[in-house]
Amino acid sequence: MGAGSCIFCQIVEGKIPSAKLYEDDLVISFLDINPINPGHSLVVPKKHAATIFDIDDDVLAKCAVVAARVARAIRSATGCEGLNVLQNNFRSAGQLIDHFHIHLIPRYEGDGFLT
Ligand code: 5GP
C-alpha cells in the first residue's frame, strides 16, 4: 500500500476522523478504533514510513518521547495498572496497517491479553 491510499496518512491529513490525543509538526496520537482495553492509543509519525526499518531517526526519537507523554496521560485518565508499548513490523509480526505506529495499551491484572 502506498502513502496515497494509507489510512493513517488520511487520518494525518484529516480526511478520516480520529479521536486525537496529541499533535505536533512530526507526530500525531489518537485512540485505536478497535481497542484491546479502553484508552488503547496509537502514536503515528506524520510522514509516511511503513516500518521501523524505514523511519528517520529524528522522527523515531520524537515518537518515543510522545509515546511516554501520551502513556502518562492514559495512565492518569484510565487508572490502568500496567501499560504495554507495542510496535509491529510486517504481517508475520501482526502489522495490519503499513504506516509505522506505536501501540499504547492500558492493562489490568487478569485482563488476559497478550501476556
Ligand atoms: P497493527 O496490527 O498494524 O500493529 O495495528 C493497527 C491498529 O490500527 C489496529 O489496532 C487497528 O484497530 C487500528 N486501526 C485500523 N484502522 C484504524 C482507523 O481507521 N482508525 C483508528 N483510530 N485506528 C485504526
Side-chain angles (χ1 to χ4, degrees), residues 1-38:
M1 180 186 283
S5 54
C6 170
I7 289 172
F8 286 177
C9 283
Q10 292 179 57
I11 288 176
V12 166
E13 291 164 13
K15 293 178 182 162
I16 293 178
S18 67
K20 243 183 260 178
L21 302 174
Y22 177 90
E23 181 170 14
D24 64 28
D25 52 332
L26 294 177
V27 178
I28 189 169
S29 178
F30 49 85
L31 293 175
D32 194 295
I33 205 168
N34 187 22
I36 285 176
N37 272 329

Side-chain angles (χ1 to χ4, degrees), residues 7-8 11 16-19 30-36 40 42 86-91 93-99 101-103:
I7 289 172
F8 286 177
I11 288 176
I16 293 178
S18 67
F30 49 85
L31 293 175
D32 194 295
I33 205 168
N34 187 22
I36 285 176
H40 177 177
L42 303 171
L86 180 70
Q87 200 279 307
N88 300 323
N89 299 282
F90 303 120
R91 295 290 175 274
Q95 184 177 18
L96 296 174
I97 303 292
D98 295 333
H99 182 132
H101 52 282
I102 297 171
H103 293 259

Side-chain angles (χ1 to χ4, degrees), residues 1 4 10 15 43 55 62 65 68 82 85 87 104 108-109 112:
M1 180 186 283
Q10 292 179 57
K15 293 178 182 162
V43 174
I55 192 165
K62 190 65 193 278
V65 170
V85 179
Q87 200 279 307
L104 300 171
Y108 301 89
E109 202 63 44

